[in-house]
Amino acid sequence: MSSRRSRSRHAGSSRITDDQINDLVSKLQQLLPEMHNRRSDKKSATKVLQETCNYIRSLHREVDDLSERLSELLENADTTQADLIRSLIMQ
């Protein structure tokens, strides 16, 4: 058997099916707060992926904002307060 043929067979066996894609998109939709609340509405895979990207971006912004606020809080806190905050973070 040629190398080309064995590669195409291997590639074919590792391909994802439409049913698997639909299942993954459905699971992803359930993880998105705005789309999960409107569960009865069937959304396109494209829309779910766009919403997922938007949600991940918003989570990144929120993490950045919270990190910044925590840094400011630790800078302005006295040693006892800062130690308390650090101990709560480590839990």
Side-chain angles (χ1 to χ4, degrees):
M1 185 183 302
S2 76
S3 167
R4 173 185 266 162
R5 217 181 278 174
S6 65
R7 272 188 293 208
S8 65
R9 269 196 187 156
H10 178 69
S13 66
S14 64
R15 294 189 118 204
I16 189 167
T17 66
D18 287 349
D19 286 341
Q20 290 171 315
I21 291 172
N22 290 335
D23 184 51
L24 291 169
V25 168
S26 176
K27 288 177 182 177
L28 192 55
Q29 183 175 352
Q30 292 173 14
L31 294 173
L32 299 171
E34 287 184 23
M35 295 189 114
H36 183 67
N37 294 337
R38 294 181 268 147
R39 191 173 180 186
S40 61
D41 297 345
K42 181 77 173 157
K43 300 291 183 194
S44 71
T46 302
K47 181 69 174 170
V48 172
L49 292 173
Q50 288 171 338
E51 290 296 322
T52 301
C53 291
N54 292 339
Y55 184 59
I56 291 170
R57 280 187 205 101
S58 75
L59 289 175
H60 278 285
R61 283 191 300 270
E62 188 174 345
V63 166
D64 290 344
D65 181 52
L66 290 171
S67 294
E68 202 173 297
R69 289 172 53 195
L70 179 59
S71 292
E72 290 171 5
L73 182 63
L74 290 172
E75 284 176 16
N76 296 326
D78 63 36
T79 306
T80 305
Q81 290 173 326
D83 289 343
L84 175 63
I85 293 168
R86 285 186 186 97
S87 71
L88 292 172
I89 292 171
M90 296 301 190
Q91 291 181 353

Short mmCIF file of all heavy atoms in Angstrom, two decimals, residues 21-61:
data_model
loop_
_atom_site.label_atom_id
_atom_site.label_comp_id
_atom_site.label_asym_id
_atom_site.label_seq_id
_atom_site.Cartn_x
_atom_site.Cartn_y
_atom_site.Cartn_z
N ILE A 21 -19.96 17.06 15.81
CA ILE A 21 -19.88 18.52 15.79
C ILE A 21 -21.15 19.11 16.40
O ILE A 21 -21.09 20.01 17.25
CB ILE A 21 -19.67 19.06 14.36
CG1 ILE A 21 -18.26 18.69 13.88
CG2 ILE A 21 -19.89 20.57 14.30
CD1 ILE A 21 -18.00 19.00 12.42
N ASN A 22 -22.30 18.60 15.98
CA ASN A 22 -23.57 19.11 16.52
C ASN A 22 -23.65 18.90 18.03
O ASN A 22 -24.14 19.77 18.75
CB ASN A 22 -24.74 18.44 15.82
CG ASN A 22 -24.88 18.87 14.38
OD1 ASN A 22 -24.44 19.95 14.00
ND2 ASN A 22 -25.49 18.03 13.56
N ASP A 23 -23.18 17.75 18.50
CA ASP A 23 -23.19 17.47 19.93
C ASP A 23 -22.28 18.44 20.68
O ASP A 23 -22.66 18.98 21.73
CB ASP A 23 -22.77 16.03 20.18
CG ASP A 23 -22.85 15.64 21.64
OD1 ASP A 23 -23.92 15.87 22.26
OD2 ASP A 23 -21.86 15.10 22.17
N LEU A 24 -21.09 18.69 20.15
CA LEU A 24 -20.16 19.61 20.79
C LEU A 24 -20.68 21.04 20.79
O LEU A 24 -20.54 21.77 21.78
CB LEU A 24 -18.80 19.55 20.10
CG LEU A 24 -18.03 18.23 20.30
CD1 LEU A 24 -16.83 18.17 19.37
CD2 LEU A 24 -17.60 18.07 21.74
N VAL A 25 -21.30 21.46 19.70
CA VAL A 25 -21.88 22.80 19.63
C VAL A 25 -23.01 22.94 20.64
O VAL A 25 -23.13 23.95 21.33
CB VAL A 25 -22.36 23.12 18.20
CG1 VAL A 25 -23.20 24.39 18.17
CG2 VAL A 25 -21.17 23.27 17.26
N SER A 26 -23.82 21.90 20.77
CA SER A 26 -24.90 21.92 21.75
C SER A 26 -24.36 22.02 23.17
O SER A 26 -24.87 22.79 23.99
CB SER A 26 -25.73 20.64 21.59
OG SER A 26 -26.73 20.59 22.57
N LYS A 27 -23.31 21.27 23.47
CA LYS A 27 -22.69 21.34 24.80
C LYS A 27 -22.09 22.71 25.05
O LYS A 27 -22.20 23.26 26.14
CB LYS A 27 -21.62 20.26 24.94
CG LYS A 27 -22.19 18.87 25.07
CD LYS A 27 -21.09 17.83 25.14
CE LYS A 27 -21.68 16.43 25.22
NZ LYS A 27 -20.62 15.40 25.23
N LEU A 28 -21.47 23.26 24.04
CA LEU A 28 -20.89 24.59 24.15
C LEU A 28 -21.97 25.63 24.40
O LEU A 28 -21.82 26.52 25.24
CB LEU A 28 -20.11 24.91 22.88
CG LEU A 28 -19.20 26.12 22.87
CD1 LEU A 28 -18.19 26.07 24.00
CD2 LEU A 28 -18.49 26.22 21.54
N GLN A 29 -23.07 25.51 23.70
CA GLN A 29 -24.20 26.44 23.87
C GLN A 29 -24.72 26.40 25.31
O GLN A 29 -25.07 27.43 25.87
CB GLN A 29 -25.31 26.10 22.88
CG GLN A 29 -26.48 27.06 22.93
CD GLN A 29 -27.51 26.77 21.85
OE1 GLN A 29 -27.28 25.95 20.98
NE2 GLN A 29 -28.63 27.44 21.93
N GLN A 30 -24.72 25.23 25.91
CA GLN A 30 -25.20 25.10 27.29
C GLN A 30 -24.28 25.79 28.29
O GLN A 30 -24.71 26.16 29.38
CB GLN A 30 -25.36 23.63 27.66
CG GLN A 30 -26.48 22.95 26.91
CD GLN A 30 -26.52 21.45 27.16
OE1 GLN A 30 -25.88 20.94 28.07
NE2 GLN A 30 -27.27 20.74 26.35
N LEU A 31 -23.02 25.97 27.92
CA LEU A 31 -22.06 26.62 28.80
C LEU A 31 -22.13 28.14 28.75
O LEU A 31 -21.61 28.81 29.65
CB LEU A 31 -20.63 26.18 28.46
CG LEU A 31 -20.31 24.71 28.69
CD1 LEU A 31 -18.93 24.38 28.14
CD2 LEU A 31 -20.40 24.36 30.17
N LEU A 32 -22.75 28.66 27.72
CA LEU A 32 -22.84 30.11 27.56
C LEU A 32 -24.06 30.63 28.29
O LEU A 32 -25.18 30.25 27.97
CB LEU A 32 -22.91 30.48 26.08
CG LEU A 32 -21.70 30.07 25.25
CD1 LEU A 32 -21.98 30.29 23.77
CD2 LEU A 32 -20.46 30.80 25.69
N PRO A 33 -23.86 31.52 29.26
CA PRO A 33 -24.99 31.98 30.08
C PRO A 33 -26.15 32.55 29.27
O PRO A 33 -27.30 32.17 29.51
CB PRO A 33 -24.37 33.07 30.96
CG PRO A 33 -22.92 32.81 30.96
CD PRO A 33 -22.61 32.14 29.66
N GLU A 34 -25.89 33.42 28.33
CA GLU A 34 -26.98 34.04 27.57
C GLU A 34 -27.70 33.04 26.69
O GLU A 34 -28.91 33.10 26.51
CB GLU A 34 -26.45 35.20 26.73
CG GLU A 34 -26.10 36.41 27.56
CD GLU A 34 -25.69 37.57 26.71
OE1 GLU A 34 -26.07 37.62 25.52
OE2 GLU A 34 -25.00 38.46 27.23
N MET A 35 -26.98 32.12 26.12
CA MET A 35 -27.59 31.13 25.22
C MET A 35 -28.25 30.00 26.02
O MET A 35 -29.21 29.41 25.57
CB MET A 35 -26.56 30.57 24.26
CG MET A 35 -26.03 31.62 23.30
SD MET A 35 -25.04 30.89 22.02
CE MET A 35 -26.05 31.24 20.61
N HIS A 36 -27.71 29.72 27.19
CA HIS A 36 -28.28 28.65 28.02
C HIS A 36 -29.68 29.05 28.50
O HIS A 36 -30.56 28.21 28.58
CB HIS A 36 -27.36 28.36 29.20
CG HIS A 36 -27.84 27.24 30.06
ND1 HIS A 36 -27.88 25.94 29.63
CD2 HIS A 36 -28.32 27.23 31.32
CE1 HIS A 36 -28.35 25.18 30.59
NE2 HIS A 36 -28.63 25.93 31.63
N ASN A 37 -29.85 30.33 28.80
CA ASN A 37 -31.16 30.81 29.26
C ASN A 37 -32.21 30.72 28.17
O ASN A 37 -33.39 30.60 28.45
CB ASN A 37 -31.05 32.25 29.78
CG ASN A 37 -30.19 32.32 31.01
OD1 ASN A 37 -30.01 31.34 31.73
ND2 ASN A 37 -29.62 33.49 31.26
N ARG A 38 -31.79 30.81 26.92
CA ARG A 38 -32.71 30.72 25.77
C ARG A 38 -32.54 29.37 25.09
O ARG A 38 -32.38 29.26 23.90
CB ARG A 38 -32.42 31.84 24.78
CG ARG A 38 -32.74 33.21 25.34
CD ARG A 38 -32.45 34.26 24.30
NE ARG A 38 -31.06 34.71 24.49
CZ ARG A 38 -30.28 35.10 23.52
NH1 ARG A 38 -30.68 35.10 22.29
NH2 ARG A 38 -29.05 35.49 23.76
N ARG A 39 -32.57 28.33 25.88
CA ARG A 39 -32.25 26.99 25.41
C ARG A 39 -33.18 26.51 24.29
O ARG A 39 -32.78 25.74 23.43
CB ARG A 39 -32.31 26.01 26.59
CG ARG A 39 -31.76 24.68 26.27
CD ARG A 39 -31.68 23.84 27.49
NE ARG A 39 -31.13 22.55 27.13
CZ ARG A 39 -31.04 21.55 27.93
NH1 ARG A 39 -31.45 21.67 29.16
NH2 ARG A 39 -30.53 20.41 27.54
N SER A 40 -34.40 26.96 24.30
CA SER A 40 -35.36 26.49 23.29
C SER A 40 -34.99 26.97 21.88
O SER A 40 -35.37 26.36 20.90
CB SER A 40 -36.77 26.95 23.64
OG SER A 40 -36.82 28.36 23.68
N ASP A 41 -34.25 28.08 21.81
CA ASP A 41 -33.84 28.60 20.51
C ASP A 41 -32.64 27.81 19.99
O ASP A 41 -31.60 27.77 20.63
CB ASP A 41 -33.43 30.08 20.61
CG ASP A 41 -34.58 30.97 21.02
OD1 ASP A 41 -35.72 30.51 20.96
OD2 ASP A 41 -34.31 32.11 21.41
N LYS A 42 -32.80 27.20 18.85
CA LYS A 42 -31.70 26.48 18.22
C LYS A 42 -30.85 27.49 17.46
O LYS A 42 -31.34 28.19 16.59
CB LYS A 42 -32.26 25.41 17.28
CG LYS A 42 -31.21 24.58 16.60
CD LYS A 42 -30.65 23.55 17.53
CE LYS A 42 -29.72 22.64 16.74
NZ LYS A 42 -28.77 22.00 17.57
N LYS A 43 -29.59 27.60 17.82
CA LYS A 43 -28.68 28.55 17.19
C LYS A 43 -27.76 27.82 16.23
O LYS A 43 -27.42 26.67 16.42
CB LYS A 43 -27.85 29.27 18.24
CG LYS A 43 -28.65 30.05 19.26
CD LYS A 43 -29.29 31.24 18.63
CE LYS A 43 -30.03 32.05 19.69
NZ LYS A 43 -30.92 33.00 19.14
N SER A 44 -27.30 28.53 15.23
CA SER A 44 -26.36 27.95 14.28
C SER A 44 -25.01 27.77 14.97
O SER A 44 -24.69 28.45 15.94
CB SER A 44 -26.20 28.86 13.06
OG SER A 44 -25.49 30.03 13.42
N ALA A 45 -24.22 26.85 14.44
CA ALA A 45 -22.88 26.61 14.98
C ALA A 45 -22.05 27.89 14.91
O ALA A 45 -21.30 28.21 15.83
CB ALA A 45 -22.20 25.47 14.23
N THR A 46 -22.20 28.63 13.84
CA THR A 46 -21.46 29.88 13.68
C THR A 46 -21.80 30.86 14.79
O THR A 46 -20.92 31.47 15.40
CB THR A 46 -21.77 30.52 12.31
OG1 THR A 46 -21.44 29.59 11.29
CG2 THR A 46 -21.03 31.82 12.11
N LYS A 47 -23.08 30.99 15.08
CA LYS A 47 -23.53 31.91 16.14
C LYS A 47 -23.01 31.46 17.50
O LYS A 47 -22.55 32.27 18.30
CB LYS A 47 -25.07 31.98 16.15
CG LYS A 47 -25.64 32.91 17.17
CD LYS A 47 -25.35 34.35 16.84
CE LYS A 47 -26.06 35.26 17.81
NZ LYS A 47 -25.64 36.64 17.68
N VAL A 48 -23.05 30.16 17.76
CA VAL A 48 -22.55 29.64 19.03
C VAL A 48 -21.06 29.91 19.16
O VAL A 48 -20.58 30.34 20.23
CB VAL A 48 -22.86 28.12 19.17
CG1 VAL A 48 -22.18 27.54 20.40
CG2 VAL A 48 -24.36 27.88 19.23
N LEU A 49 -20.31 29.69 18.09
CA LEU A 49 -18.86 29.95 18.15
C LEU A 49 -18.56 31.43 18.32
O LEU A 49 -17.65 31.80 19.07
CB LEU A 49 -18.19 29.39 16.89
CG LEU A 49 -18.19 27.86 16.78
CD1 LEU A 49 -17.65 27.43 15.43
CD2 LEU A 49 -17.41 27.23 17.91
N GLN A 50 -19.33 32.30 17.65
CA GLN A 50 -19.14 33.75 17.83
C GLN A 50 -19.42 34.16 19.27
O GLN A 50 -18.66 34.92 19.87
CB GLN A 50 -20.04 34.53 16.88
CG GLN A 50 -19.62 34.47 15.45
CD GLN A 50 -20.66 35.09 14.52
OE1 GLN A 50 -21.84 35.19 14.85
NE2 GLN A 50 -20.21 35.48 13.33
N GLU A 51 -20.52 33.66 19.81
CA GLU A 51 -20.88 33.97 21.19
C GLU A 51 -19.84 33.43 22.17
O GLU A 51 -19.54 34.06 23.19
CB GLU A 51 -22.26 33.42 21.53
CG GLU A 51 -23.40 34.13 20.84
CD GLU A 51 -23.51 35.60 21.26
OE1 GLU A 51 -23.29 35.92 22.45
OE2 GLU A 51 -23.82 36.43 20.39
N THR A 52 -19.28 32.26 21.88
CA THR A 52 -18.25 31.68 22.73
C THR A 52 -17.02 32.58 22.74
O THR A 52 -16.45 32.86 23.80
CB THR A 52 -17.87 30.27 22.24
OG1 THR A 52 -19.03 29.44 22.27
CG2 THR A 52 -16.79 29.66 23.10
N CYS A 53 -16.60 33.04 21.58
CA CYS A 53 -15.44 33.95 21.50
C CYS A 53 -15.71 35.23 22.27
O CYS A 53 -14.84 35.70 23.03
CB CYS A 53 -15.11 34.26 20.04
SG CYS A 53 -14.44 32.86 19.14
N ASN A 54 -16.90 35.79 22.12
CA ASN A 54 -17.26 37.01 22.85
C ASN A 54 -17.24 36.77 24.35
O ASN A 54 -16.75 37.62 25.12
CB ASN A 54 -18.64 37.50 22.42
CG ASN A 54 -18.67 38.00 21.00
OD1 ASN A 54 -17.64 38.35 20.43
ND2 ASN A 54 -19.85 38.02 20.41
N TYR A 55 -17.77 35.63 24.78
CA TYR A 55 -17.82 35.31 26.20
C TYR A 55 -16.42 35.14 26.77
O TYR A 55 -16.10 35.65 27.85
CB TYR A 55 -18.66 34.06 26.42
CG TYR A 55 -18.87 33.70 27.86
CD1 TYR A 55 -19.48 34.59 28.75
CD2 TYR A 55 -18.47 32.47 28.35
CE1 TYR A 55 -19.67 34.26 30.08
CE2 TYR A 55 -18.67 32.12 29.68
CZ TYR A 55 -19.26 33.02 30.54
OH TYR A 55 -19.45 32.69 31.85
N ILE A 56 -15.56 34.45 26.05
CA ILE A 56 -14.18 34.26 26.51
C ILE A 56 -13.46 35.60 26.60
O ILE A 56 -12.74 35.86 27.58
CB ILE A 56 -13.43 33.27 25.59
CG1 ILE A 56 -14.00 31.86 25.78
CG2 ILE A 56 -11.93 33.29 25.87
CD1 ILE A 56 -13.51 30.85 24.76
N ARG A 57 -13.67 36.48 25.62
CA ARG A 57 -13.08 37.82 25.68
C ARG A 57 -13.56 38.58 26.92
O ARG A 57 -12.77 39.25 27.60
CB ARG A 57 -13.41 38.62 24.43
CG ARG A 57 -12.55 38.28 23.25
CD ARG A 57 -12.80 39.23 22.08
NE ARG A 57 -12.46 38.59 20.85
CZ ARG A 57 -13.31 38.04 19.98
NH1 ARG A 57 -14.61 38.12 20.20
NH2 ARG A 57 -12.89 37.45 18.89
N SER A 58 -14.86 38.49 27.20
CA SER A 58 -15.39 39.19 28.37
C SER A 58 -14.83 38.61 29.67
O SER A 58 -14.57 39.35 30.62
CB SER A 58 -16.93 39.18 28.38
OG SER A 58 -17.43 37.92 28.76
N LEU A 59 -14.62 37.29 29.71
CA LEU A 59 -14.02 36.68 30.89
C LEU A 59 -12.57 37.16 31.07
O LEU A 59 -12.14 37.43 32.20
CB LEU A 59 -14.07 35.16 30.80
CG LEU A 59 -15.45 34.52 30.95
CD1 LEU A 59 -15.37 33.01 30.70
CD2 LEU A 59 -16.06 34.81 32.30
N HIS A 60 -11.85 37.27 29.97
CA HIS A 60 -10.47 37.78 30.05
C HIS A 60 -10.46 39.21 30.58
O HIS A 60 -9.63 39.55 31.43
CB HIS A 60 -9.80 37.74 28.67
CG HIS A 60 -9.23 36.42 28.31
ND1 HIS A 60 -8.08 35.91 28.84
CD2 HIS A 60 -9.69 35.47 27.45
CE1 HIS A 60 -7.83 34.73 28.34
NE2 HIS A 60 -8.80 34.43 27.48
N ARG A 61 -11.38 40.04 30.09
CA ARG A 61 -11.45 41.43 30.58
C ARG A 61 -11.78 41.45 32.07
O ARG A 61 -11.22 42.23 32.83
CB ARG A 61 -12.48 42.23 29.78
CG ARG A 61 -12.02 42.65 28.41
CD ARG A 61 -12.98 43.65 27.76
NE ARG A 61 -14.32 43.14 27.59
CZ ARG A 61 -14.76 42.49 26.52
NH1 ARG A 61 -13.95 42.27 25.50
NH2 ARG A 61 -16.00 42.06 26.45
#
